[in-house]
Every structure is written in C-alpha cells, then in structure tokens.
Amino acid sequence: MESGNYSVLSYARALLGAHLAALRAAWRDSDRGASAVELAVITAIILAVALALLLVIKNFVHTEASKIHG
C-alpha cells in the first residue's frame, strides 16, 4: 500500500474511532436518545464518504499511472 493511501486510511480510522468512542460513552452513560442515534448515522455516512473518496482517488491514480507507463 502506498504511503499516501495509508495516511488517508489512518485518518479515517482515527475519525471513526473518535466517533465510536463517543457512541460507547453515550451507551455506557445510558444516554440512548436521539443524539446517540444521530452520532451512529453520521459516523456511518462519514465512513462511507471516506471510503468512496479513497476508491475514486485510487482508481484515478492507477488510471493515470497506466497512461504514463503504457
């Protein structure tokens, strides 16, 4: 894996970890209101967008690299 992709993945994992920690704290404190549900939904959306962006960038880089080399 290239170092550029690794930094994006590590950022996404850190962001997800922070949101999951907040979600776990809310569940531990018995705060199961709308804010915990909203946090879970927002976390899932952020993760999906980050993964989609990662795939788009990776596909673009590979396409351009094959144009350069081939």
Short mmCIF file of all heavy atoms in Angstrom, two decimals:
data_model
loop_
_atom_site.label_atom_id
_atom_site.label_comp_id
_atom_site.label_asym_id
_atom_site.label_seq_id
_atom_site.Cartn_x
_atom_site.Cartn_y
_atom_site.Cartn_z
N MET A 1 0.84 -1.18 0.00
CA MET A 1 0.00 0.00 0.00
C MET A 1 0.88 1.24 0.00
O MET A 1 1.86 1.31 0.72
CB MET A 1 -0.91 -0.03 1.23
CG MET A 1 -1.84 1.15 1.29
SD MET A 1 -2.96 1.07 2.70
CE MET A 1 -4.01 -0.24 2.16
N GLU A 2 0.51 2.21 -0.79
CA GLU A 2 1.30 3.43 -0.89
C GLU A 2 1.13 4.27 0.36
O GLU A 2 0.12 4.22 1.05
CB GLU A 2 0.85 4.22 -2.12
CG GLU A 2 1.08 3.46 -3.41
CD GLU A 2 0.50 4.19 -4.61
OE1 GLU A 2 -0.09 5.26 -4.42
OE2 GLU A 2 0.62 3.67 -5.71
N SER A 3 2.13 5.10 0.65
CA SER A 3 2.09 5.90 1.88
C SER A 3 0.97 6.92 1.86
O SER A 3 0.41 7.25 2.89
CB SER A 3 3.43 6.59 2.11
OG SER A 3 3.70 7.47 1.04
N GLY A 4 0.60 7.44 0.69
CA GLY A 4 -0.50 8.40 0.60
C GLY A 4 -1.83 7.78 1.00
O GLY A 4 -2.62 8.37 1.71
N ASN A 5 -2.06 6.56 0.54
CA ASN A 5 -3.29 5.86 0.90
C ASN A 5 -3.29 5.50 2.38
O ASN A 5 -4.33 5.49 3.02
CB ASN A 5 -3.46 4.59 0.06
CG ASN A 5 -3.79 4.90 -1.38
OD1 ASN A 5 -4.26 5.99 -1.69
ND2 ASN A 5 -3.55 3.95 -2.24
N TYR A 6 -2.13 5.19 2.92
CA TYR A 6 -2.04 4.84 4.33
C TYR A 6 -2.43 6.02 5.21
O TYR A 6 -3.13 5.83 6.19
CB TYR A 6 -0.63 4.37 4.67
CG TYR A 6 -0.49 3.95 6.11
CD1 TYR A 6 -1.04 2.77 6.55
CD2 TYR A 6 0.17 4.77 7.02
CE1 TYR A 6 -0.95 2.39 7.87
CE2 TYR A 6 0.28 4.39 8.35
CZ TYR A 6 -0.28 3.19 8.76
OH TYR A 6 -0.18 2.82 10.08
N SER A 7 -2.03 7.22 4.84
CA SER A 7 -2.37 8.38 5.65
C SER A 7 -3.87 8.65 5.60
O SER A 7 -4.46 9.03 6.60
CB SER A 7 -1.58 9.61 5.21
OG SER A 7 -1.90 9.94 3.88
N VAL A 8 -4.49 8.44 4.46
CA VAL A 8 -5.94 8.64 4.35
C VAL A 8 -6.66 7.60 5.20
O VAL A 8 -7.61 7.90 5.92
CB VAL A 8 -6.40 8.56 2.87
CG1 VAL A 8 -7.90 8.52 2.77
CG2 VAL A 8 -5.84 9.71 2.08
N LEU A 9 -6.19 6.35 5.11
CA LEU A 9 -6.82 5.29 5.91
C LEU A 9 -6.63 5.52 7.40
O LEU A 9 -7.56 5.31 8.18
CB LEU A 9 -6.24 3.93 5.51
CG LEU A 9 -6.68 3.39 4.17
CD1 LEU A 9 -5.96 2.08 3.88
CD2 LEU A 9 -8.17 3.18 4.15
N SER A 10 -5.45 5.96 7.79
CA SER A 10 -5.23 6.19 9.22
C SER A 10 -6.07 7.36 9.72
O SER A 10 -6.59 7.32 10.84
CB SER A 10 -3.74 6.43 9.51
OG SER A 10 -3.28 7.57 8.83
N TYR A 11 -6.26 8.38 8.89
CA TYR A 11 -7.13 9.49 9.27
C TYR A 11 -8.57 9.02 9.41
O TYR A 11 -9.26 9.37 10.38
CB TYR A 11 -7.05 10.62 8.24
CG TYR A 11 -8.01 11.75 8.52
CD1 TYR A 11 -7.76 12.66 9.53
CD2 TYR A 11 -9.17 11.89 7.78
CE1 TYR A 11 -8.64 13.67 9.81
CE2 TYR A 11 -10.06 12.91 8.05
CZ TYR A 11 -9.80 13.80 9.06
OH TYR A 11 -10.68 14.81 9.33
N ALA A 12 -9.04 8.22 8.45
CA ALA A 12 -10.41 7.72 8.51
C ALA A 12 -10.62 6.83 9.73
O ALA A 12 -11.66 6.92 10.41
CB ALA A 12 -10.74 6.94 7.23
N ARG A 13 -9.61 6.00 10.04
CA ARG A 13 -9.72 5.15 11.22
C ARG A 13 -9.74 5.98 12.50
O ARG A 13 -10.47 5.68 13.44
CB ARG A 13 -8.57 4.16 11.26
CG ARG A 13 -8.72 3.05 10.22
CD ARG A 13 -7.60 2.09 10.27
NE ARG A 13 -7.54 1.45 11.57
CZ ARG A 13 -6.57 0.66 11.97
NH1 ARG A 13 -5.55 0.42 11.15
NH2 ARG A 13 -6.59 0.11 13.15
N ALA A 14 -8.93 7.02 12.56
CA ALA A 14 -8.90 7.88 13.75
C ALA A 14 -10.23 8.60 13.92
O ALA A 14 -10.77 8.70 15.04
CB ALA A 14 -7.76 8.89 13.65
N LEU A 15 -10.78 9.09 12.83
CA LEU A 15 -12.07 9.79 12.87
C LEU A 15 -13.17 8.83 13.32
O LEU A 15 -13.99 9.17 14.19
CB LEU A 15 -12.39 10.38 11.50
CG LEU A 15 -13.62 11.25 11.41
CD1 LEU A 15 -13.45 12.50 12.26
CD2 LEU A 15 -13.86 11.64 9.96
N LEU A 16 -13.18 7.65 12.74
CA LEU A 16 -14.18 6.65 13.12
C LEU A 16 -14.00 6.24 14.58
O LEU A 16 -14.98 6.10 15.31
CB LEU A 16 -14.07 5.43 12.21
CG LEU A 16 -15.04 4.30 12.49
CD1 LEU A 16 -16.47 4.76 12.31
CD2 LEU A 16 -14.76 3.12 11.59
N GLY A 17 -12.76 6.08 15.01
CA GLY A 17 -12.50 5.71 16.39
C GLY A 17 -13.00 6.75 17.38
O GLY A 17 -13.56 6.41 18.43
N ALA A 18 -12.83 8.01 17.03
CA ALA A 18 -13.30 9.09 17.91
C ALA A 18 -14.82 9.07 18.02
O ALA A 18 -15.39 9.21 19.11
CB ALA A 18 -12.83 10.44 17.40
N HIS A 19 -15.48 8.86 16.90
CA HIS A 19 -16.95 8.81 16.92
C HIS A 19 -17.45 7.57 17.66
O HIS A 19 -18.42 7.64 18.41
CB HIS A 19 -17.51 8.84 15.50
CG HIS A 19 -17.49 10.21 14.90
ND1 HIS A 19 -18.30 11.23 15.32
CD2 HIS A 19 -16.75 10.72 13.89
CE1 HIS A 19 -18.06 12.31 14.62
NE2 HIS A 19 -17.12 12.03 13.74
N LEU A 20 -16.78 6.44 17.45
CA LEU A 20 -17.20 5.23 18.16
C LEU A 20 -16.97 5.35 19.66
O LEU A 20 -17.78 4.85 20.45
CB LEU A 20 -16.46 4.02 17.60
CG LEU A 20 -16.92 3.56 16.22
CD1 LEU A 20 -16.04 2.41 15.74
CD2 LEU A 20 -18.37 3.15 16.24
N ALA A 21 -15.90 6.01 20.06
CA ALA A 21 -15.66 6.22 21.49
C ALA A 21 -16.76 7.07 22.11
O ALA A 21 -17.24 6.78 23.21
CB ALA A 21 -14.30 6.87 21.71
N ALA A 22 -17.18 8.10 21.40
CA ALA A 22 -18.27 8.94 21.90
C ALA A 22 -19.58 8.16 21.96
O ALA A 22 -20.37 8.31 22.90
CB ALA A 22 -18.43 10.17 21.01
N LEU A 23 -19.80 7.30 20.97
CA LEU A 23 -21.01 6.48 20.96
C LEU A 23 -21.00 5.48 22.13
O LEU A 23 -22.00 5.31 22.81
CB LEU A 23 -21.12 5.74 19.63
CG LEU A 23 -22.36 4.87 19.42
CD1 LEU A 23 -23.62 5.73 19.54
CD2 LEU A 23 -22.31 4.22 18.06
N ARG A 24 -19.84 4.86 22.37
CA ARG A 24 -19.74 3.93 23.50
C ARG A 24 -19.94 4.64 24.84
O ARG A 24 -20.58 4.11 25.74
CB ARG A 24 -18.38 3.24 23.48
CG ARG A 24 -18.26 2.19 22.42
CD ARG A 24 -16.95 1.42 22.56
NE ARG A 24 -16.71 0.66 21.35
CZ ARG A 24 -15.74 0.89 20.49
NH1 ARG A 24 -14.86 1.85 20.72
NH2 ARG A 24 -15.60 0.15 19.41
N ALA A 25 -19.41 5.83 24.97
CA ALA A 25 -19.60 6.61 26.20
C ALA A 25 -21.06 6.95 26.40
O ALA A 25 -21.57 6.89 27.53
CB ALA A 25 -18.76 7.88 26.15
N ALA A 26 -21.75 7.29 25.33
CA ALA A 26 -23.18 7.60 25.44
C ALA A 26 -23.97 6.37 25.87
O ALA A 26 -24.88 6.45 26.70
CB ALA A 26 -23.70 8.13 24.10
N TRP A 27 -23.62 5.20 25.32
CA TRP A 27 -24.32 3.97 25.72
C TRP A 27 -23.99 3.61 27.16
O TRP A 27 -24.85 3.14 27.90
CB TRP A 27 -23.93 2.82 24.81
CG TRP A 27 -24.64 2.85 23.50
CD1 TRP A 27 -25.79 3.51 23.19
CD2 TRP A 27 -24.25 2.17 22.31
NE1 TRP A 27 -26.13 3.30 21.88
CE2 TRP A 27 -25.21 2.48 21.31
CE3 TRP A 27 -23.19 1.36 21.96
CZ2 TRP A 27 -25.14 1.99 20.02
CZ3 TRP A 27 -23.11 0.86 20.68
CH2 TRP A 27 -24.08 1.17 19.73
N ARG A 28 -22.75 3.80 27.57
CA ARG A 28 -22.35 3.48 28.93
C ARG A 28 -23.08 4.36 29.94
O ARG A 28 -23.46 3.92 31.01
CB ARG A 28 -20.83 3.64 29.08
CG ARG A 28 -20.30 3.24 30.44
CD ARG A 28 -18.78 3.40 30.54
NE ARG A 28 -18.36 4.77 30.26
CZ ARG A 28 -17.59 5.14 29.23
NH1 ARG A 28 -17.15 4.24 28.38
NH2 ARG A 28 -17.26 6.39 29.04
N ASP A 29 -23.32 5.61 29.57
CA ASP A 29 -24.00 6.53 30.47
C ASP A 29 -25.52 6.46 30.34
O ASP A 29 -26.22 7.32 30.84
CB ASP A 29 -23.53 7.97 30.19
CG ASP A 29 -22.05 8.15 30.50
OD1 ASP A 29 -21.51 7.35 31.28
OD2 ASP A 29 -21.45 9.08 29.94
N SER A 30 -26.00 5.46 29.62
CA SER A 30 -27.44 5.24 29.40
C SER A 30 -28.10 6.40 28.69
O SER A 30 -29.27 6.70 28.90
CB SER A 30 -28.15 4.97 30.73
OG SER A 30 -27.65 3.78 31.31
N ASP A 31 -27.35 7.08 27.86
CA ASP A 31 -27.91 8.16 27.05
C ASP A 31 -28.22 7.59 25.66
O ASP A 31 -27.40 7.65 24.77
CB ASP A 31 -26.93 9.32 26.94
CG ASP A 31 -27.49 10.47 26.11
OD1 ASP A 31 -28.71 10.52 25.93
OD2 ASP A 31 -26.68 11.30 25.65
N ARG A 32 -29.38 7.02 25.53
CA ARG A 32 -29.75 6.37 24.26
C ARG A 32 -30.78 7.18 23.52
O ARG A 32 -31.63 6.66 22.83
CB ARG A 32 -30.26 4.97 24.53
CG ARG A 32 -29.20 4.10 25.16
CD ARG A 32 -29.65 2.73 25.38
NE ARG A 32 -28.59 2.01 26.10
CZ ARG A 32 -28.57 0.72 26.26
NH1 ARG A 32 -29.51 -0.01 25.78
NH2 ARG A 32 -27.57 0.17 26.90
N GLY A 33 -30.69 8.48 23.65
CA GLY A 33 -31.63 9.36 22.98
C GLY A 33 -31.27 9.57 21.52
O GLY A 33 -30.48 8.83 20.93
N ALA A 34 -31.84 10.59 20.95
CA ALA A 34 -31.63 10.87 19.53
C ALA A 34 -30.17 11.18 19.23
O ALA A 34 -29.69 10.88 18.15
CB ALA A 34 -32.52 12.03 19.09
N SER A 35 -29.44 11.77 20.17
CA SER A 35 -28.06 12.15 19.88
C SER A 35 -27.18 10.93 19.61
O SER A 35 -26.31 10.98 18.75
CB SER A 35 -27.48 12.98 21.02
OG SER A 35 -27.45 12.23 22.21
N ALA A 36 -27.39 9.84 20.32
CA ALA A 36 -26.59 8.63 20.09
C ALA A 36 -26.91 8.03 18.73
O ALA A 36 -26.02 7.59 18.01
CB ALA A 36 -26.84 7.61 21.20
N VAL A 37 -28.17 8.02 18.36
CA VAL A 37 -28.57 7.50 17.06
C VAL A 37 -28.03 8.39 15.95
O VAL A 37 -27.50 7.91 14.94
CB VAL A 37 -30.11 7.39 16.96
CG1 VAL A 37 -30.54 7.00 15.56
CG2 VAL A 37 -30.62 6.39 17.97
N GLU A 38 -28.13 9.69 16.15
CA GLU A 38 -27.61 10.62 15.15
C GLU A 38 -26.10 10.45 15.00
O GLU A 38 -25.58 10.50 13.89
CB GLU A 38 -27.92 12.06 15.55
CG GLU A 38 -29.39 12.40 15.43
CD GLU A 38 -29.72 13.74 16.05
OE1 GLU A 38 -28.81 14.39 16.61
OE2 GLU A 38 -30.88 14.13 15.98
N LEU A 39 -25.40 10.25 16.10
CA LEU A 39 -23.95 10.05 16.05
C LEU A 39 -23.61 8.79 15.25
O LEU A 39 -22.68 8.80 14.44
CB LEU A 39 -23.38 9.96 17.47
CG LEU A 39 -21.88 9.77 17.58
CD1 LEU A 39 -21.14 10.94 16.95
CD2 LEU A 39 -21.49 9.60 19.03
N ALA A 40 -24.36 7.73 15.45
CA ALA A 40 -24.11 6.49 14.71
C ALA A 40 -24.36 6.69 13.22
O ALA A 40 -23.58 6.22 12.38
CB ALA A 40 -25.00 5.38 15.26
N VAL A 41 -25.41 7.40 12.87
CA VAL A 41 -25.73 7.64 11.46
C VAL A 41 -24.67 8.53 10.82
O VAL A 41 -24.21 8.26 9.71
CB VAL A 41 -27.14 8.26 11.32
CG1 VAL A 41 -27.39 8.73 9.90
CG2 VAL A 41 -28.20 7.27 11.74
N ILE A 42 -24.28 9.59 11.51
CA ILE A 42 -23.26 10.50 10.97
C ILE A 42 -21.94 9.76 10.79
O ILE A 42 -21.25 9.93 9.78
CB ILE A 42 -23.09 11.72 11.90
CG1 ILE A 42 -24.33 12.61 11.80
CG2 ILE A 42 -21.85 12.52 11.55
CD1 ILE A 42 -24.40 13.69 12.85
N THR A 43 -21.58 8.92 11.74
CA THR A 43 -20.34 8.14 11.64
C THR A 43 -20.37 7.22 10.42
O THR A 43 -19.40 7.13 9.68
CB THR A 43 -20.11 7.32 12.91
OG1 THR A 43 -20.03 8.22 14.03
CG2 THR A 43 -18.84 6.51 12.83
N ALA A 44 -21.50 6.56 10.21
CA ALA A 44 -21.63 5.67 9.05
C ALA A 44 -21.53 6.45 7.74
O ALA A 44 -20.90 5.99 6.78
CB ALA A 44 -22.95 4.91 9.13
N ILE A 45 -22.13 7.62 7.70
CA ILE A 45 -22.09 8.44 6.48
C ILE A 45 -20.66 8.91 6.21
O ILE A 45 -20.18 8.86 5.08
CB ILE A 45 -23.06 9.62 6.59
CG1 ILE A 45 -24.50 9.12 6.56
CG2 ILE A 45 -22.82 10.64 5.48
CD1 ILE A 45 -25.54 10.17 6.88
N ILE A 46 -19.98 9.37 7.25
CA ILE A 46 -18.60 9.84 7.09
C ILE A 46 -17.70 8.70 6.61
O ILE A 46 -16.87 8.88 5.72
CB ILE A 46 -18.07 10.44 8.41
CG1 ILE A 46 -18.75 11.77 8.69
CG2 ILE A 46 -16.55 10.63 8.36
CD1 ILE A 46 -18.45 12.34 10.04
N LEU A 47 -17.89 7.52 7.18
CA LEU A 47 -17.09 6.37 6.76
C LEU A 47 -17.36 6.01 5.30
O LEU A 47 -16.43 5.76 4.54
CB LEU A 47 -17.39 5.17 7.66
CG LEU A 47 -16.64 3.88 7.32
CD1 LEU A 47 -15.14 4.10 7.45
CD2 LEU A 47 -17.10 2.76 8.23
N ALA A 48 -18.62 6.02 4.90
CA ALA A 48 -18.97 5.70 3.51
C ALA A 48 -18.38 6.72 2.54
O ALA A 48 -17.84 6.35 1.49
CB ALA A 48 -20.49 5.63 3.36
N VAL A 49 -18.45 7.99 2.89
CA VAL A 49 -17.90 9.04 2.02
C VAL A 49 -16.37 8.90 1.94
O VAL A 49 -15.79 9.02 0.85
CB VAL A 49 -18.30 10.44 2.53
CG1 VAL A 49 -17.53 11.53 1.83
CG2 VAL A 49 -19.79 10.64 2.35
N ALA A 50 -15.73 8.63 3.07
CA ALA A 50 -14.27 8.49 3.07
C ALA A 50 -13.84 7.29 2.22
O ALA A 50 -12.88 7.39 1.45
CB ALA A 50 -13.76 8.33 4.50
N LEU A 51 -14.54 6.19 2.34
CA LEU A 51 -14.19 5.01 1.54
C LEU A 51 -14.45 5.24 0.06
O LEU A 51 -13.64 4.84 -0.78
CB LEU A 51 -14.96 3.79 2.04
CG LEU A 51 -14.53 3.25 3.39
CD1 LEU A 51 -15.44 2.10 3.83
CD2 LEU A 51 -13.09 2.78 3.36
N ALA A 52 -15.56 5.91 -0.26
CA ALA A 52 -15.84 6.21 -1.67
C ALA A 52 -14.78 7.13 -2.24
O ALA A 52 -14.31 6.92 -3.37
CB ALA A 52 -17.23 6.84 -1.79
N LEU A 53 -14.39 8.14 -1.49
CA LEU A 53 -13.35 9.05 -1.94
C LEU A 53 -12.02 8.33 -2.12
O LEU A 53 -11.30 8.57 -3.10
CB LEU A 53 -13.20 10.20 -0.95
CG LEU A 53 -12.24 11.31 -1.32
CD1 LEU A 53 -12.67 11.98 -2.61
CD2 LEU A 53 -12.17 12.34 -0.20
N LEU A 54 -11.70 7.44 -1.21
CA LEU A 54 -10.48 6.66 -1.32
C LEU A 54 -10.48 5.82 -2.60
O LEU A 54 -9.48 5.77 -3.32
CB LEU A 54 -10.32 5.75 -0.10
CG LEU A 54 -9.11 4.82 -0.12
CD1 LEU A 54 -7.82 5.63 -0.05
CD2 LEU A 54 -9.19 3.85 1.03
N LEU A 55 -11.59 5.18 -2.91
CA LEU A 55 -11.68 4.37 -4.12
C LEU A 55 -11.58 5.22 -5.38
O LEU A 55 -10.92 4.82 -6.35
CB LEU A 55 -12.99 3.58 -4.13
CG LEU A 55 -13.07 2.45 -3.11
CD1 LEU A 55 -14.45 1.83 -3.12
CD2 LEU A 55 -12.01 1.41 -3.37
N VAL A 56 -12.20 6.39 -5.38
CA VAL A 56 -12.13 7.27 -6.54
C VAL A 56 -10.69 7.74 -6.78
O VAL A 56 -10.19 7.71 -7.91
CB VAL A 56 -13.08 8.48 -6.37
CG1 VAL A 56 -12.81 9.55 -7.41
CG2 VAL A 56 -14.53 8.02 -6.45
N ILE A 57 -10.04 8.16 -5.72
CA ILE A 57 -8.66 8.64 -5.85
C ILE A 57 -7.73 7.50 -6.28
O ILE A 57 -6.89 7.69 -7.17
CB ILE A 57 -8.18 9.27 -4.52
CG1 ILE A 57 -8.94 10.57 -4.27
CG2 ILE A 57 -6.68 9.51 -4.54
CD1 ILE A 57 -8.71 11.15 -2.90
N LYS A 58 -7.90 6.34 -5.69
CA LYS A 58 -7.05 5.21 -6.05
C LYS A 58 -7.25 4.82 -7.51
O LYS A 58 -6.29 4.57 -8.23
CB LYS A 58 -7.37 4.02 -5.14
CG LYS A 58 -6.45 2.86 -5.33
CD LYS A 58 -6.72 1.78 -4.31
CE LYS A 58 -5.74 0.64 -4.51
NZ LYS A 58 -5.95 -0.43 -3.55
N ASN A 59 -8.50 4.80 -7.97
CA ASN A 59 -8.80 4.48 -9.36
C ASN A 59 -8.19 5.53 -10.29
O ASN A 59 -7.60 5.19 -11.32
CB ASN A 59 -10.30 4.38 -9.58
CG ASN A 59 -10.64 3.88 -10.96
OD1 ASN A 59 -9.88 3.17 -11.59
ND2 ASN A 59 -11.80 4.29 -11.45
N PHE A 60 -8.30 6.78 -9.95
CA PHE A 60 -7.74 7.85 -10.76
C PHE A 60 -6.22 7.73 -10.87
O PHE A 60 -5.65 7.85 -11.95
CB PHE A 60 -8.12 9.22 -10.18
CG PHE A 60 -7.49 10.37 -10.91
CD1 PHE A 60 -8.01 10.78 -12.13
CD2 PHE A 60 -6.41 11.04 -10.39
CE1 PHE A 60 -7.44 11.84 -12.81
CE2 PHE A 60 -5.82 12.10 -11.05
CZ PHE A 60 -6.34 12.50 -12.27
N VAL A 61 -5.57 7.48 -9.74
CA VAL A 61 -4.11 7.37 -9.73
C VAL A 61 -3.65 6.19 -10.58
O VAL A 61 -2.72 6.30 -11.37
CB VAL A 61 -3.58 7.26 -8.29
CG1 VAL A 61 -2.12 6.84 -8.26
CG2 VAL A 61 -3.79 8.57 -7.54
N HIS A 62 -4.32 5.05 -10.44
CA HIS A 62 -3.94 3.88 -11.22
C HIS A 62 -4.18 4.10 -12.72
O HIS A 62 -3.37 3.67 -13.55
CB HIS A 62 -4.68 2.63 -10.74
CG HIS A 62 -4.14 2.10 -9.46
ND1 HIS A 62 -2.90 1.51 -9.36
CD2 HIS A 62 -4.67 2.07 -8.22
CE1 HIS A 62 -2.70 1.14 -8.12
NE2 HIS A 62 -3.75 1.48 -7.40
N THR A 63 -5.26 4.78 -13.08
CA THR A 63 -5.55 5.07 -14.48
C THR A 63 -4.48 5.99 -15.06
O THR A 63 -3.96 5.73 -16.16
CB THR A 63 -6.93 5.71 -14.62
OG1 THR A 63 -7.91 4.84 -14.07
CG2 THR A 63 -7.26 6.00 -16.08
N GLU A 64 -4.14 7.03 -14.35
CA GLU A 64 -3.12 7.96 -14.84
C GLU A 64 -1.74 7.31 -14.88
O GLU A 64 -0.95 7.58 -15.79
CB GLU A 64 -3.10 9.22 -13.97
CG GLU A 64 -4.38 10.05 -14.07
CD GLU A 64 -4.66 10.53 -15.49
OE1 GLU A 64 -3.74 11.00 -16.18
OE2 GLU A 64 -5.83 10.42 -15.92
N ALA A 65 -1.45 6.46 -13.92
CA ALA A 65 -0.15 5.78 -13.92
C ALA A 65 -0.03 4.84 -15.11
O ALA A 65 1.04 4.73 -15.71
CB ALA A 65 0.02 5.00 -12.62
N SER A 66 -1.13 4.17 -15.44
CA SER A 66 -1.06 3.26 -16.60
C SER A 66 -0.93 4.05 -17.90
O SER A 66 -0.30 3.57 -18.85
CB SER A 66 -2.30 2.37 -16.64
OG SER A 66 -3.46 3.12 -16.89
N LYS A 67 -1.46 5.25 -17.96
CA LYS A 67 -1.29 6.10 -19.13
C LYS A 67 0.17 6.54 -19.28
O LYS A 67 0.71 6.60 -20.38
CB LYS A 67 -2.18 7.35 -19.05
CG LYS A 67 -3.63 7.09 -19.29
CD LYS A 67 -4.40 8.39 -19.18
CE LYS A 67 -5.89 8.18 -19.30
NZ LYS A 67 -6.62 9.45 -19.13
N ILE A 68 0.80 6.84 -18.14
CA ILE A 68 2.18 7.30 -18.16
C ILE A 68 3.12 6.15 -18.55
O ILE A 68 4.01 6.31 -19.36
CB ILE A 68 2.58 7.89 -16.80
CG1 ILE A 68 1.83 9.20 -16.57
CG2 ILE A 68 4.08 8.11 -16.72
CD1 ILE A 68 1.97 9.74 -15.16
N HIS A 69 2.88 4.98 -17.96
CA HIS A 69 3.79 3.84 -18.17
C HIS A 69 3.47 3.06 -19.44
O HIS A 69 4.32 2.31 -19.91
CB HIS A 69 3.75 2.89 -16.98
CG HIS A 69 4.29 3.49 -15.74
ND1 HIS A 69 5.60 3.86 -15.59
CD2 HIS A 69 3.68 3.82 -14.57
CE1 HIS A 69 5.79 4.37 -14.39
NE2 HIS A 69 4.63 4.37 -13.75
N GLY A 70 2.28 3.20 -19.95
CA GLY A 70 1.95 2.32 -21.07
C GLY A 70 1.55 3.04 -22.25
O GLY A 70 1.40 2.75 -23.34
#
